[in-house]
C-alpha cells in the first residue's frame, strides 16, 4: 500500500528508534525529564521564543495556546477551514468557552480586509469581544499553502494590540519552501505550535512556544486536562531526532507533491493548479470529471493507493518521508487513470 492520506502515517525510522531507546528520562510532571526539557528548549530557541511545552498532540498545543490568549466568553478569529475551527471537535468552545468567527479565502489565506471587518473591540455588554487572531501556516485544508500576508497581519495586530496565534503544525514546510526562518514566522505570534508527528516523522508530539509566563500557565492547564506525563523523554527523543534530521529533507516531499500535481492536472485539467502547490499537500477538485470523491478513494484503495478527501468534490494527497519518489509517481498515475 502507498499511503498518501496524511503525513501523520509515517513510522519511526531505525535511527529514531535508537534515539528513543537510549534517551535519558525522568518524571516530567516534576520537571525532571532531561530529554523533554532539551526538546522544549531547543524548539523554543528555534522558534524565537522564551519557553516551550511538549504536548501529546497538536490539538492540545492549540487548545493550550488559544486559551492562553482568549478568556472564556471572548472570540478568536480564524479562516473558515482552519484546523482549530474544523478539526478539533469544538474543543475551544467545549473546554475553554471560546467562540470563533471566521473569514473565508481561497487556499485558507489571510484576508486583511475581511479580518479588519471582523475584529470587534470591547463594545461593552453586548457584542462578543475579539481576543486574538489565529492563522495556520502552512494551511492544511487550503492545500499546504504558505500565508502571503503573514507579516502584514502581524504588523496590523501589533498596532491594534491584539495577539496572534500561529497554528504552525507544518511551519517546517512553510520555512523550507519559502526560505523564511522558522523564528521569523513564529516570533511574530504570542503563542505558536508546531507538530513533530507530521512531515518530521516522529510518532507523537507537538510543542507549544511562548513567553515563560504563558508556558508556565499552559503547563498547569496541560496537567489540569489530564495530559501531564512522566518519562515522556522516550517520545521527546523522537522529536529531537526529527527536528535535527528531517527538516531539510521536506524539500523532497514538496518536489513529490509538485510531480503529483502535474500528473493530476494533465489527467483532469483544472482540478489542481501545480503552480499553487507550494509544499507537501495536493488538493484536487474533481467536480468536472463526473467522478465522486468516495468512488475514487475506494477504487484507488483496491489498486494499492490510499488517499483522502477534504469534502464532496476534493481529494487530498499528502507526501511524506515514508513515500518515495517512485511511490508518489505510482500513486499519482493510479489516481490520474481513475480521473480520466
Ligand atoms: C495535524 C494538525 C494539527 C494537530 O493535529 P493532532 O492530530 O491533534 O496532532 C493542528 N493543526 C493543523 C493545521 C494540523 O494539520
Amino acid at each position: 500500500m502507498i499511503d498518501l492520506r496524511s503525513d501523520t502515517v509515517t513510522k519511526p525510522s531505525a535511527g529514531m528508534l535508537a534515539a528513543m531507546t537510549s534517551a535519558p528520562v525522568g518524571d516530567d510532571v516534576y520537571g525532571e525529564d532531561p530529554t523533554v526539557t532539551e526538546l522544549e528548549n531547543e524548539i523554543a530557541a528555534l522558534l524565537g521564543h522564551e519557553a516551550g511545552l511538549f504536548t501529546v498532540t497538536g490539538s492540545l498545543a492549540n487548545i493550550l495556546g488559544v486559551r492562553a490568549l482568549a478568556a472564556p466568553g471572548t472570540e478568536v478569529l480564524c479562516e473558515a477551514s482552519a484546523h482549530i475551527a474544523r478539526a478539533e471537535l469544538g474543543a475551544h468552545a467545549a473546554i475553554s468557552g471560546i467562540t470563533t468567527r471566521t473569514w473565508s479565502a481561497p487556499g485558507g489565506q489571510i484576508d486583511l480586509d475581511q479580518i479588519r471587518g471582523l475584529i470587534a473591540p470591547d463594545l461593552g455588554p453586548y457584542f462578543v469581544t475579539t481576543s486574538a487572531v489565529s492563522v495556520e501556516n502552512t494551511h492544511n485544508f487550503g492545500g499546504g499553502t504558505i500565508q502571503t500576508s503573514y507579516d502584514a497581519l502581524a504588523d496590523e495586530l501589533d498596532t491594534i494590540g491584539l495577539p496572534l496565534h500561529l497554528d504552525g503544525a507544518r511551519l517546517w514546510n512553510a520555512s523550507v519552501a519559502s526560505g523564511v526562518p522558522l523564528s521569523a514566522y513564529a516570533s511574530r505570534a504570542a503563542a505558536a505550535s508546531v507538530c513533530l508527528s507530521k512531515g518530521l516523522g516522529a510518532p507523537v508530539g507537538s510543542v507549544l512556544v511562548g513567553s515563560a509566563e504563558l508556558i508556565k500557565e499552559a503547563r498547569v492547564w496541560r496537567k489540569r486536562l489530564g495530559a501531564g506525563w512522566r518519562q515522556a523523554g522516550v517520545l521527546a527523543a523522537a522529536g529531537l531526532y526529527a527536528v535535527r534530521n528531517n527538516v531539510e529533507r521536506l524539500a523532497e516531499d514538496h518536489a513529490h507533491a509538485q510531480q503529483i500535481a502535474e500528473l493530476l492536472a494533465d489527467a483532469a485539467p483544472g482540478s489542481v493548479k501545480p503552480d499553487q502547490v507550494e509544499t507537501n499537500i495536493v488538493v484536487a477538485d474533481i467536480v468536472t470529471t463526473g467522478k465522486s470523491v468516495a468512488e475514487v478513494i475506494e477504487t484507488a484503495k483496491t489498486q494499492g493507493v490510499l488517499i483522502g478527501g477534504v469534502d464532496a468534490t476534493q481529494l487530498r494527497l499528502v507526501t511524506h518521508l515514508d513515500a518515495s519518489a517512485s511511490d508518489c509517481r505510482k500513486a499519482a498515475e493510479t489516481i490520474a487513470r481513475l480521473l480520466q
Side-chain angles (χ1 to χ4, degrees):
M1 276 291 181
I2 300 169
D3 193 347
L4 301 183
R5 286 171 301 165
S6 172
D7 46 7
T8 56
V9 301
T10 56
K11 309 232 165 76
S13 63
M16 184 178 280
L17 285 168
M20 294 170 76
T21 53
S22 62
V25 296
D27 190 327
D28 181 54
V29 170
Y30 293 143
E32 291 173 2
D33 189 302
T35 310
V36 170
T37 304
E38 192 178 349
L39 174 73
E40 291 174 343
N41 291 341
E42 187 159 322
I43 300 223
L46 209 53
L47 299 186
H49 278 269
E50 250 172 21
L53 182 71
F54 186 34
T55 60
V56 65
T57 60
S59 297
L60 181 58
N62 283 342
I63 290 166
L64 298 173
V66 168
R67 73 151 304 291
L69 305 180
T74 69
E75 71 182 9
V76 170
L77 306 180
C78 63
E79 202 277 329
S81 60
H83 199 276
I84 67 161
R86 294 289 324 280
E88 292 172 11
L89 303 180
H92 304 272
I95 296 168
S96 310
I98 296 162
T99 54
T100 48
R101 267 189 313 139
T102 59
W103 73 91
S104 190
Q109 285 287 344
I110 289 165
D111 182 321
L112 283 172
D113 282 339
Q114 287 189 59
I115 295 169
R116 280 186 203 113
L118 286 169
I119 290 172
D122 186 351
L123 293 174
Y126 189 79
F127 287 110
V128 179
T129 302
T130 305
S131 282
V133 177
S134 179
V135 166
E136 214 170 287
N137 205 5
T138 65
H139 197 293
N140 180 352
F141 300 129
T145 40
I146 300 167
Q147 296 292 344
T148 50
S149 304
Y150 184 81
D151 279 330
L153 174 65
D155 289 344
E156 187 145 338
L157 293 180
D158 280 349
T159 310
I160 301 170
L162 271 185
L164 175 65
H165 171 260
L166 170 62
D167 178 351
R170 294 187 183 80
L171 194 66
W172 321 100
N173 299 83
S175 173
V176 166
S178 67
V180 175
L182 291 160
S183 60
Y185 284 125
S187 64
R188 302 303 311 266
S193 60
V194 286
C195 274
L196 303 164
S197 59
K198 299 269 167 79
L200 296 201
V204 166
S206 279
V207 176
L208 172 71
V209 298
S211 67
E213 195 187 351
L214 183 146
I215 293 300
K216 189 174 167 205
E217 189 195 326
R219 195 176 293 280
V220 169
W221 271 92
R222 185 187 64 173
K223 181 74 165 66
R224 187 169 282 143
L225 293 173
W229 43 13
R230 305 297 178 172
Q231 287 72 28
V234 288
L235 299 172
L240 279 168
Y241 182 92
V243 172
R244 291 170 185 170
N245 294 282
N246 293 343
V247 175
E248 292 311 318
R249 65 150 305 286
L250 290 171
E252 294 170 33
D253 297 344
H254 301 169
H256 298 163
Q258 191 55 228
Q259 268 181 353
I260 291 173
E262 284 164 17
L263 280 164
L264 296 187
D266 284 345
S271 61
V272 51
K273 299 201 175 77
D275 62 342
Q276 288 177 8
V277 173
E278 297 175 293
T279 59
N280 71 323
I281 300 177
V282 181
V283 172
D285 193 317
I286 61 166
V287 70
T288 60
T289 66
K291 318 273 182 197
S292 84
V293 163
E295 168 194 354
V296 173
I297 291 174
E298 266 319 299
T299 316
K301 194 172 171 184
T302 66
Q303 300 182 15
V305 176
L306 297 175
I307 60 166
V310 177
D311 58 26
T313 66
Q314 300 189 107
L315 301 172
R316 191 183 77 151
L317 295 85
V318 187
T319 59
H320 54 76
L321 82 173
D322 284 354
S324 66
S326 84
D327 288 341
C328 292
R329 195 183 52 248
K330 263 188 249 166
E333 284 166 358
T334 302
I335 307 301
R337 264 198 314 276
L338 298 179
L339 295 182
Q340 272 164 344

